[in-house]
Amino acid sequence: MDPLIKLLHNNSKLTPSELAQQLSTTAAEVEQRIADAEADGTILGYQAVVDRQKAGQRGVRALIEVRISPEADGGFDRMARRISRFDQVRDCFLMSGGYDLAVIVEAEDLLEVATFVSEKLSTIGGVLSTATRFQLKAYKESGFNVGATGDEQRLLVSP
C-alpha cells in the first residue's frame, strides 16, 4: 500500500504538513497526491469511527449471509452491486466458504431488517437463501477498540 494512503487510512485527521513531515516531502506534494487519489477513486471518502453506544445510536446492525446464483455474463458482480445500492446496506463483500455475499445492514429496529430481507433482498431473482445474524455488542471496529477504558490488561503470551 502506498505510504501516504496507509497513513491516511490509519488517521485521516493528519494535516498535509504532518503527512509531508512523515513522508519527507512537501505539503503541496501531499495535497496533490491526495487530490489525485480522490479523483481516481483510490480514496472513496472519509468518516469517523464512532462508538455507537456512546453516541446514543440505538439502531441495529446485522450480518446477512447471502447465497446467490452467479449470472452467466456478470458472475457475482452485477448481483452484489445491485444489493449494495439499497440504503440499508452498509457493506457488501464477496466471500469464500458456505455463502457468497456478506451484507452488513443498519436499520432502526429488528422489524426494519426483517422487512428488508423479506421484501427486498429475498425477492431478487438469483438469491437462493439468506441467514441473518444480529450484532449484539462491538468490541473492535475499524481497528479501534470500542468501549475500552485503557486499564485492560494485555493477554499473557506463553512460550
Side-chain angles (χ1 to χ4, degrees):
M1 181 184 294
D2 177 300
L4 172 61
I5 300 301
K6 186 174 183 178
L7 287 170
L8 285 172
H9 182 73
N10 291 332
N11 184 356
S12 63
K13 288 181 67 174
L14 292 171
T15 66
S17 296
E18 292 168 328
L19 291 164
Q21 184 177 10
Q22 291 186 44
L23 297 170
S24 300
T25 188
T26 66
E29 170 66 20
V30 166
E31 289 172 346
Q32 184 59 54
R33 287 175 56 195
I34 291 171
D36 292 345
E38 291 171 344
D40 74 12
T42 300
I43 296 175
L44 300 174
Y46 303 89
Q47 65 185 147
V49 179
V50 176
D51 183 326
R52 293 164 45 90
Q53 186 174 359
K54 286 183 180 178
Q57 293 178 340
R58 298 292 178 223
V60 297
R61 185 180 286 172
L63 162 67
I64 305 172
E65 300 170 353
V66 184
R67 287 187 54 236
I68 59 177
S69 178
E71 297 176 323
D73 293 331
F76 294 108
D77 292 345
R78 192 174 311 137
M79 181 77 72
R81 293 192 194 293
R82 181 175 178 190
I83 291 169
S84 296
R85 285 195 296 266
F86 287 111
D87 290 338
Q88 295 88 344
V89 174
R90 178 87 174 132
D91 300 293
C92 183
F93 306 101
L94 181 63
M95 304 296 290
S96 64
Y99 57 96
D100 304 307
L101 299 177
V103 179
I104 310 296
V105 298
E106 291 182 347
E108 291 296 318
D109 53 33
L110 300 175
L111 180 59
E112 187 178 337
V113 174
T115 301
F116 169 75
V117 172
S118 64
E119 295 180 5
K120 293 182 179 178
L121 187 58
S122 295
T123 60
I124 296 172
V127 171
L128 303 175
S129 66
T130 65
T132 303
R133 314 217 184 281
F134 290 94
Q135 176 183 314
L136 301 178
K137 184 175 182 178
Y139 294 97
K140 191 168 192 174
E141 188 166 340
S142 297
F144 293 92
N145 291 319
V146 178
T149 60
D151 62 354
E152 287 83 7
Q153 297 286 331
R154 289 185 54 108
L155 295 176
L156 295 176
V157 178
S158 59

